[in-house]
Amino acid sequence: MFIVEPRILHPVADRMVYRGSLDTAGSDPGGYRPRREEVAPGGVPRGPFWGVLVGRGDRSVRGLGNGMVGKEPPVRERMQRWRRGASGAVVRIWAVSAVLLLSPSAAIGQHGDEGALARLGPGEDRADLFEWARPFDADASIPIPASFFGRETGSVFTRYEELVAYFRALAEASPRVTLTPYGHSHQRRELFILTISSEANLADLDGILDRNRALTRGSERPLSGTLERNPAISWLSFGVHGNEPSVYETAMEVAYTLAASRHPEIGSILNNSVVVIDPALNPDGWMRYVNWYENQVGREADANPDSNEHWEPWPGGRTNHYLFDLNRDWIWLTQPESRSRLQVYRRYMPHLHIDYHEMGYTSPYFFGEGDQPYNANIPASTRAWIKKVGEANAEAFDREGLIYATRERFDYMYPGYGKVLPVYHGAVGLLTEKGGHSRAGLAIEFNEHEVLTLRRRAYWHYVTAMSSLEMVARERRGMLERFHDFFRSTHELARESPMSFVIPAETDPALLAVIHDLCVSHGIRIDRLTRDTEVEGVRYDGETTAFPVEMRAGSWVVRTDQDMGRLARVFFEPDPELVEKQTYDITSWSLPAALGIDAVATREAFAAGTEPLGEWRASEPRVTGEGSVALIVDSAQHRFPAAVGVAVKHEAFARRSGEAIELDGKRFARGSLIIHALRNRHVDTDALVRDLLASGNSVHRASTGMPSEGPALGNNASGRLGNARVALLRGSPINANSFGHHWHMLDVAYPVPHSVLAVDRLGRADLSRFGVVVLPSGGGLSGDARSAIESFVRDGGVLVATGRSGHWASRELLGLEAKRRDRDDSRPKLSDLTYEERTGRSDEDRVPGAGVRMLLDTTHPMTAGLPGSLTMLKTDANPLPVSDTGFVIASYAGRPRVGGWISERNIAHIRDEPSVTAHRLGRGWVIAFAEDPTMRGFQHGPMRLLLNAIVFGPGM
Ligand SMILES: [Zn+2]
């Protein structure tokens, strides 16, 4: 039936090219007419062309013996269904020339599965899976992914370099496609988008985007003609999680269809919209997964779910280089991938944003509306349009006979997701999830009748992508009107429910810089007070009664009567409204609380008395004084721990002041760094000062060792700074995210010299060179690792353990018994509750992530330079135990809830209990944190406390 033409199209393997077309003339519509064509090696076939297929070198599947695929309706049946489909038009289906993609018998025969192939009827594994808007009258000059790579889409995992090469070729071949690089991943992989539209639209792209951005000025009427003529903008994001890899295959097929098809429905998408494809948001994680997989898989993919290739090891490919979940970072922008993406995203300000994912492989597909809670700052109109897109997807899925889920599980509360953050930039934001994920490999037995292949996973995503794009093209004007209304109604909301946030002028410049950077990146305007002002409002400490606070001229004001006012509320409101407690993520993230600053939230609108902040730069760190006795770095500076890191790097002999001192007319907080000239002749002082400034800290050159207040610099009270050489532990059972967040903190955010040590060879590592071992949150250590850590501490080392590891260290190393919640449980037994009542019970017991207030022991060396209280994100209800001789560095306040969901019962359980403790063990210390302050890298207040523990712990 097929003419087989062996070719080498790809350097890695023999390829065979198969092509055929549907017989358009015969009496048996849908019969196949084989065709033989010349294909240049590695090249793009010319002429009327329908597809090229697979050959040797592509993996076949070892599994249930039924060939490759799950059940798919035969081609004819599906085409007839399509003809009856809701799009209305009677499609000339028999004029189609489509390629049928049969896994060739020659290739299968190689793997001894000829019998299975013989059972596959035409259409059961179909080339036109990826053909939308049939008949697919394709422009033959546009490279098809299959021909470009010499393999069927989904037969192997495409690699990043291949994806780049394909998209470059596509952009070169098609006047409908432009490729725009926008940044780099940590591992220097280029990030880029494709912009796809009609030639006319692309020629006027700058004008289109300008007019579109004018729609975001909600206080103004839309420019005349914009609503009538400007195209809608759809943005598809693929692969924020690197081990959900079917989406990269989808990205190529969607781009190809848009670039090549001559079908009127595709023409309508191109004329009525600009489609942006971000094909690989997280290339580093993606390649971590694929490199691993390629090293496991044999000549054939093994569909047995127990086989090794289905069990990705620690840390997995979900996250980026520093193991950050980029799908939680859209708001915080701690990672270069997120930062650069938001910049190009805001140039386009799309009306639709879809984030492509995969979930557990036994689930079918999720799209459309999520579940409650929706964040109260999301307007009803956005939600209505999310529903509309979901309905368009449902219609297409029904037509294709695919199963889906919607309106469940995935809520719209946490603002850092790819489906939610774009909502605050005006988009209709959606999530799609296909069952698959790294567990599914290239193929996995789904049940006893079906094998789920990569190709089919990619296809399901293709259906939501194409049906969503069609819907946007159809509803272009409605999309634009809703978009403009989002910004217009923001001003209305500000009039009805005024709210502003005031940040004191005295705030540490490093923390102001965090706020400034986030506001500028997200398009939020900052104003400043033009005169000293009494502001009536609440602080970020859980109190809800407003009271007057004196704010100095120059203090920053973030007003909500601005275009990005909704996002300003999301960032700054102390306690987000929560309509339903079952959430998928954290429920508290207020920026001033996370930074530990003394801001005020107020109902005042500040229509007068403020002016735009305009250009702002954090004051540069500088050198003061001209003395040569010692260098002093004030510990009150937020970035102080990085200065200690510099001292460690230069091997400087340093002390920390035991009390606050006043010297040369300047005041230095307790714990300030003192580097005497005498003891540091081996240090290049100029280089040291340069590095201290670069760490973000000002430096004072002291002219005397005798302060006007406080102990002399050489007093015993100002003890020697201990050996702050840090070992950071990595590997199972440590939580991979937690490790990554600690690593990023020590490596990038607040650099402190450190070595990363693998848990599984800890028993063989020389720990004596380190002063501190940092154990991120996770399961407890055992065996050699545990013994090594215990000996290290008993010999004088400091262990800093966070989150679950903090609880583990308290229990296992210190032998302390945790306070139990069930001891005084006078509630009815679980077995006495109905099913529904048990849901209520689990709400009561669960802490999804709430902001709780900690009071600090401000006399302890570890709290130097810190305020008296901080807000910590708490994700469980467990306080730490403390022994009679232990130190409580921080404890939960009497009224600990600042924001988010935590039940009264859990509040009572943690009230006044320890949150951070320090205990002697042998000659060393165990410092335990009940929570992980590094979570997602945005809690700069609590992170400073952790950094203090790391740099001051060895000297305690
Ligand atoms: Zn995902």
Side-chain angles (χ1 to χ4, degrees):
M1 181 174 259
F2 277 88
I3 291 174
V4 175
E5 182 184 33
R7 280 276 178 199
I8 296 177
L9 286 181
H10 196 270
V12 300
D14 290 345
R15 299 287 160 179
M16 295 184 186
V17 179
Y18 301 85
R19 13 170 107 223
S21 61
L22 284 175
D23 188 340
T24 57
S27 58
D28 177 19
Y32 303 113
R33 188 172 61 187
R35 166 136 97 206
R36 180 194 176 102
E37 284 182 21
E38 278 300 310
V39 182
V44 176
R46 297 277 150 197
F49 173 76
W50 319 110
V52 173
L53 305 188
V54 224
R56 203 178 315 182
D58 300 315
R59 293 202 173 84
S60 63
V61 177
R62 184 168 69 213
L64 297 172
N66 68 341
M68 307 271 296
V69 294
K71 286 285 172 263
E72 176 81 5
V75 62
R76 197 178 312 174
E77 198 184 305
R78 288 182 63 226
M79 285 195 162
Q80 281 162 355
R81 246 200 337 247
W82 178 263
R83 184 160 55 168
R84 291 192 303 268
S87 62
V90 176
V91 183
R92 295 170 302 118
I93 50 171
W94 307 128
V96 164
S97 303
V99 167
L100 283 212
L101 208 181
L102 279 175
S103 294
S105 55
I108 295 285
Q110 289 241 329
H111 306 306
D113 204 10
E114 213 154 356
L117 180 75
R119 289 198 298 277
L120 276 178
E124 286 204 319
D125 184 13
R126 300 159 31 72
D128 61 347
L129 273 184
F130 294 106
E131 289 181 13
W132 194 254
R134 303 167 189 91
F136 195 130
D137 181 8
D139 178 346
S141 68
I142 307 301
I144 300 178
S147 64
F148 187 81
F149 296 119
R151 64 177 184 239
E152 168 195 353
T153 290
S155 57
V156 297
F157 289 114
T158 301
R159 303 182 65 85
Y160 167 80
E161 315 80 67
E162 294 177 318
L163 182 108
V164 174
Y166 175 69
F167 281 133
R168 289 207 180 280
L170 194 67
E172 202 150 290
S174 170
R176 299 173 180 175
V177 182
T178 61
L179 185 150
T180 314
Y182 68 79
H184 288 88
S185 69
H186 276 295
Q187 294 175 9
R188 301 176 302 283
R189 291 190 174 92
E190 191 167 70
L191 304 164
F192 60 92
I193 52 168
L194 300 177
T195 307
I196 309 178
S197 193
S198 68
E199 287 180 60
N201 282 341
L202 285 188
D204 183 32
L205 185 64
D206 287 342
I208 289 170
L209 298 184
D210 282 347
R211 289 190 292 278
N212 185 56
R213 276 193 303 271
L215 291 177
T216 70
R217 292 194 278 277
S219 51
E220 299 167 17
R221 287 174 167 282
L223 299 175
S224 79
T226 302
L227 292 179
E228 288 72 23
R229 283 188 296 280
N230 230 38
I233 302 172
S234 301
W235 185 297
L236 308 180
S237 285
F238 294 99
V240 71
H241 291 150
N243 61 358
E244 300 172 7
S246 73
V247 302
Y248 305 103
E249 313 297 331
T250 307
M252 291 190 294
E253 292 292 343
V254 171
Y256 167 70
T257 303
L258 295 174
S261 176
R262 294 196 185 104
H263 191 276
E265 284 197 26
I266 301 298
S268 164
I269 293 174
L270 299 169
N271 291 331
N272 288 300
S273 67
V274 172
V275 179
V276 181
I277 291 180
D278 188 338
L281 279 72
N282 175 16
D284 296 349
W286 172 29
M287 282 302 101
R288 187 184 315 132
Y289 169 66
V290 172
N291 287 336
W292 169 82
Y293 182 87
E294 292 283 354
N295 279 290
Q296 314 309 312
V297 70
R299 211 157 46 84
E300 301 174 9
D302 186 349
N304 177 355
D306 285 323
S307 71
N308 178 56
E309 69 208 53
H310 296 290
W311 295 96
E312 195 188 10
W314 196 102
R318 176 183 178 89
T319 48
N320 77 343
H321 175 75
Y322 281 101
L323 309 187
F324 271 60
D325 184 339
L326 295 179
N327 193 35
R328 304 293 185 276
D329 195 49
W330 275 81
I331 186 161
W332 305 118
L333 310 176
T334 66
Q335 303 299 301
E337 292 90 346
S338 318
R339 296 185 68 78
S340 50
R341 185 194 325 120
L342 184 66
Q343 246 180 0
V344 67
Y345 184 93
R346 280 190 53 79
R347 191 165 104 76
Y348 282 75
M349 293 297 272
H351 310 133
L352 171 76
H353 179 259
I354 306 184
D355 203 30
Y356 278 86
H357 289 259
E358 291 192 89
M359 56 185 166
Y361 76 96
T362 53
S363 302
Y365 200 93
F366 176 88
F367 56 61
E369 284 180 283
D371 194 6
Q372 286 285 17
Y374 273 70
N375 190 300
N377 292 300
I378 298 175
S381 60
T382 301
R383 218 183 138 180
W385 279 80
I386 291 170
K387 181 162 179 254
K388 270 185 135 160
V389 178
E391 284 164 358
N393 296 154
E395 199 181 300
F397 267 54
D398 289 343
R399 203 159 60 220
E400 301 287 308
L402 306 176
I403 309 173
Y404 51 89
T406 186
R407 290 184 225 147
E408 65 174 17
R409 189 169 164 203
F410 303 104
D411 61 71
Y412 277 71
M413 191 63 201
Y414 175 66
Y417 298 127
K419 77 165 185 291
V420 179
L421 196 274
V423 163
Y424 299 114
H425 290 272
V428 175
L430 292 105
L431 166 77
T432 68
E433 299 259 4
K434 168 73 191 116
H437 205 268
S438 67
R439 270 287 271 131
L442 281 176
I444 192 164
E445 286 171 16
F446 180 75
N447 59 33
E448 56 194 18
H449 308 294
E450 286 180 66
V451 170
L452 176 65
T453 61
L454 176 63
R455 180 173 171 79
R456 299 189 57 75
R457 284 147 61 194
Y459 167 64
W460 290 46
H461 274 327
Y462 179 85
V463 175
T464 48
M466 297 310 299
S467 58
S468 305
L469 295 178
E470 265 186 3
M471 181 266 178
V472 169
R474 225 170 29 238
E475 305 271 356
R476 182 199 63 79
R477 184 174 176 130
M479 290 296 287
L480 266 64
E481 282 171 350
R482 184 214 53 81
F483 179 72
H484 176 254
D485 197 58
F486 174 89
F487 296 99
R488 189 197 56 75
S489 67
T490 300
H491 291 264
E492 202 172 274
L493 178 69
R495 280 192 297 278
E496 284 164 10
S497 170
M499 199 162 204
S500 306
F501 311 98
V502 189
I503 298 134
E506 309 72 64
T507 303
D508 186 281
L511 293 171
L512 283 180
V514 173
I515 295 173
H516 187 261
D517 176 62
L518 286 173
C519 286
V520 168
S521 300
H522 285 282
I524 298 170
R525 190 191 70 242
I526 302 172
D527 293 290
R528 57 194 289 278
L529 291 177
T530 52
R531 52 173 186 268
D532 293 355
T533 309
E534 192 182 86
V535 177
E536 181 136 323
V538 295
R539 291 192 187 278
Y540 291 75
D541 56 6
E543 297 294 342
T544 50
T545 317
F547 61 96
V549 186
E550 198 56 45
M551 286 290 187
R552 273 178 39 202
S555 292
W556 289 6
V557 182
V558 177
R559 293 162 46 178
T560 53
D561 59 338
Q562 59 171 309
D563 300 329
M564 292 300 293
R566 288 181 198 271
L567 186 57
R569 287 174 195 260
V570 169
F571 264 117
F572 289 94
E573 59 189 5
D575 185 13
E577 190 183 322
L578 193 67
V579 295
E580 150 79 56
K581 297 168 195 76
Q582 289 290 332
T583 73
Y584 197 69
D585 209 283
I586 62 175
T587 55
S588 178
W589 50 79
S590 180
L591 186 56
L595 301 192
I597 61 175
D598 220 1
V600 171
T602 169
R603 292 279 169 200
E604 291 172 34
F606 290 102
T610 63
E611 62 185 14
L613 178 66
E615 284 289 307
W616 179 85
R617 291 178 71 89
S619 51
E620 292 282 320
R622 59 205 179 97
V623 180
T624 55
E626 285 163 6
S628 54
V629 171
L631 298 174
I632 306 182
V633 182
D634 186 1
S635 73
Q637 302 176 91
H638 177 72
R639 296 192 54 80
F640 174 77
V644 179
V646 170
V648 172
K649 181 181 140 199
H650 284 263
E651 299 184 340
F653 178 91
R655 293 168 176 272
R656 55 182 166 76
S657 64
E659 292 169 32
I661 50 180
E662 210 165 289
L663 186 144
D664 295 342
K666 293 180 71 73
R667 194 174 166 77
F668 299 92
R670 185 173 60 91
S672 292
L673 190 68
I674 302 164
I675 303 174
H676 268 106
L678 180 66
R679 288 283 160 79
N680 288 290
R681 296 245 161 91
H682 60 289
V683 173
D684 176 345
T685 311
D686 289 342
L688 175 63
V689 168
R690 212 166 42 237
D691 285 355
L692 287 170
L693 294 174
S695 76
N697 286 281
S698 291
V699 187
H700 181 70
R701 288 179 180 273
S703 64
T704 171
M706 178 59 89
S708 52
E709 247 183 69
L713 298 191
N715 272 21
N716 281 336
S718 302
R720 184 180 175 180
L721 203 70
N723 171 12
R725 290 200 174 279
V726 178
L728 172 63
L729 302 191
R730 170 188 174 116
S732 180
I734 292 168
N735 175 290
N737 289 127
S738 180
F739 161 73
H741 298 156
H742 283 76
W743 186 26
H744 185 261
M745 178 182 78
L746 293 172
D747 211 33
V748 179
Y750 300 90
V752 174
H754 62 278
S755 293
V756 175
L757 303 187
V759 165
D760 59 10
R761 68 172 305 282
L762 211 52
R764 282 161 288 159
D766 174 12
L767 289 178
S768 66
R769 61 169 75 203
F770 299 104
V772 191
V773 169
V774 177
L775 176 59
S777 184
L781 303 182
S782 56
D784 285 356
R786 187 204 145 116
S787 315
I789 288 300
E790 191 163 349
S791 314
F792 166 76
V793 176
R794 289 190 182 279
D795 290 348
V798 176
L799 173 68
V800 178
T802 64
R804 286 176 58 193
S805 297
H807 294 278
W808 169 81
S810 303
R811 194 174 58 242
E812 299 293 329
L813 296 182
L814 301 171
L816 301 174
E817 199 186 330
K819 182 181 174 192
R820 290 168 59 101
R821 270 194 302 171
D822 53 6
R823 195 184 290 160
D824 54 351
D825 199 342
S826 52
R827 299 177 297 180
K829 293 198 300 285
L830 279 175
S831 56
D832 291 340
L833 301 180
T834 63
Y835 187 80
E836 195 177 342
E837 285 165 344
R838 284 175 84 137
T839 309
R841 175 71 63 89
S842 95
D843 281 352
E844 192 173 25
D845 288 345
R846 210 168 68 97
V847 185
V852 295
R853 191 151 156 261
M854 301 184 305
L855 300 178
L856 275 52
D857 173 359
T858 53
T859 67
H860 195 279
M862 248 180 70
T863 60
L866 279 159
S869 73
L870 285 171
T871 299
M872 180 81 95
L873 188 61
K874 186 153 186 59
T875 54
D876 62 38
N878 304 319
L880 284 177
V882 63
S883 76
D884 290 347
T885 55
F887 289 88
V888 176
I889 313 292
S891 58
Y892 304 108
R895 294 164 56 90
R897 197 189 82 90
V898 173
W901 170 245
I902 177 167
S903 67
E904 283 303 324
R905 181 182 163 77
N906 281 331
I907 288 173
H909 184 68
I910 66 169
R911 174 173 294 144
D912 299 325
E913 295 283 336
S915 159
V916 182
T917 61
H919 286 88
R920 273 271 178 215
L921 180 64
R923 289 189 286 123
W925 288 95
V926 173
I927 302 174
F929 282 70
E931 290 83 31
D932 175 0
T934 67
M935 185 176 170
R936 298 183 191 170
F938 72 97
Q939 300 179 77
H940 292 273
M943 269 199 281
R944 168 69 199 267
L945 180 59
L946 175 60
L947 286 157
N948 268 18
I950 292 169
V951 301
F952 285 141
M956 285 198 316

PDB file of all heavy atoms in Angstrom, residues 241 244 318 357-358, ligand 1:
ATOM      1  N   HIS A 241       6.604  23.609  33.410  1.00  0.00           N
ATOM      2  CA  HIS A 241       7.127  22.449  34.145  1.00  0.00           C
ATOM      3  C   HIS A 241       7.832  21.523  33.152  1.00  0.00           C
ATOM      4  O   HIS A 241       7.199  20.973  32.254  1.00  0.00           O
ATOM      5  CB  HIS A 241       5.982  21.710  34.859  1.00  0.00           C
ATOM      6  CG  HIS A 241       5.408  22.491  35.994  1.00  0.00           C
ATOM      7  ND1 HIS A 241       4.107  22.387  36.389  1.00  0.00           N
ATOM      8  CD2 HIS A 241       5.997  23.390  36.834  1.00  0.00           C
ATOM      9  CE1 HIS A 241       3.898  23.197  37.427  1.00  0.00           C
ATOM     10  NE2 HIS A 241       5.030  23.823  37.702  1.00  0.00           N
ATOM     11  N   GLU A 244       6.741  17.853  31.990  1.00  0.00           N
ATOM     12  CA  GLU A 244       5.394  17.664  31.449  1.00  0.00           C
ATOM     13  C   GLU A 244       5.527  17.872  29.942  1.00  0.00           C
ATOM     14  O   GLU A 244       5.034  18.854  29.375  1.00  0.00           O
ATOM     15  CB  GLU A 244       4.432  18.666  32.112  1.00  0.00           C
ATOM     16  CG  GLU A 244       4.382  18.450  33.628  1.00  0.00           C
ATOM     17  CD  GLU A 244       3.610  19.510  34.407  1.00  0.00           C
ATOM     18  OE1 GLU A 244       2.974  20.379  33.785  1.00  0.00           O
ATOM     19  OE2 GLU A 244       3.656  19.455  35.657  1.00  0.00           O
ATOM     20  N   ARG A 318      10.675  19.165  36.821  1.00  0.00           N
ATOM     21  CA  ARG A 318       9.594  20.144  36.946  1.00  0.00           C
ATOM     22  C   ARG A 318      10.120  21.574  37.037  1.00  0.00           C
ATOM     23  O   ARG A 318       9.578  22.509  36.474  1.00  0.00           O
ATOM     24  CB  ARG A 318       8.797  19.816  38.204  1.00  0.00           C
ATOM     25  CG  ARG A 318       7.690  20.806  38.543  1.00  0.00           C
ATOM     26  CD  ARG A 318       7.036  20.370  39.860  1.00  0.00           C
ATOM     27  NE  ARG A 318       5.991  21.256  40.313  1.00  0.00           N
ATOM     28  CZ  ARG A 318       4.700  21.147  39.974  1.00  0.00           C
ATOM     29  NH1 ARG A 318       4.329  20.197  39.158  1.00  0.00           N
ATOM     30  NH2 ARG A 318       3.807  21.980  40.438  1.00  0.00           N
ATOM     31  N   HIS A 357       0.031  22.228  30.750  1.00  0.00           N
ATOM     32  CA  HIS A 357       0.615  21.332  31.758  1.00  0.00           C
ATOM     33  C   HIS A 357       0.247  19.883  31.489  1.00  0.00           C
ATOM     34  O   HIS A 357      -0.614  19.583  30.673  1.00  0.00           O
ATOM     35  CB  HIS A 357       0.067  21.684  33.150  1.00  0.00           C
ATOM     36  CG  HIS A 357       0.579  22.972  33.690  1.00  0.00           C
ATOM     37  ND1 HIS A 357       1.572  23.052  34.622  1.00  0.00           N
ATOM     38  CD2 HIS A 357       0.220  24.259  33.408  1.00  0.00           C
ATOM     39  CE1 HIS A 357       1.815  24.316  34.915  1.00  0.00           C
ATOM     40  NE2 HIS A 357       1.002  25.077  34.180  1.00  0.00           N
ATOM     41  N   GLU A 358       0.891  19.014  32.266  1.00  0.00           N
ATOM     42  CA  GLU A 358       0.437  17.625  32.349  1.00  0.00           C
ATOM     43  C   GLU A 358       0.293  17.256  33.820  1.00  0.00           C
ATOM     44  O   GLU A 358       0.997  17.770  34.680  1.00  0.00           O
ATOM     45  CB  GLU A 358       1.429  16.688  31.679  1.00  0.00           C
ATOM     46  CG  GLU A 358       1.467  16.850  30.169  1.00  0.00           C
ATOM     47  CD  GLU A 358       2.244  15.728  29.510  1.00  0.00           C
ATOM     48  OE1 GLU A 358       1.636  14.706  29.186  1.00  0.00           O
ATOM     49  OE2 GLU A 358       3.468  15.866  29.357  1.00  0.00           O
TER      50      GLU A 358
HETATM   51 ZN    ZN B   1       2.487  21.474  35.586  1.00  0.00          ZN
END
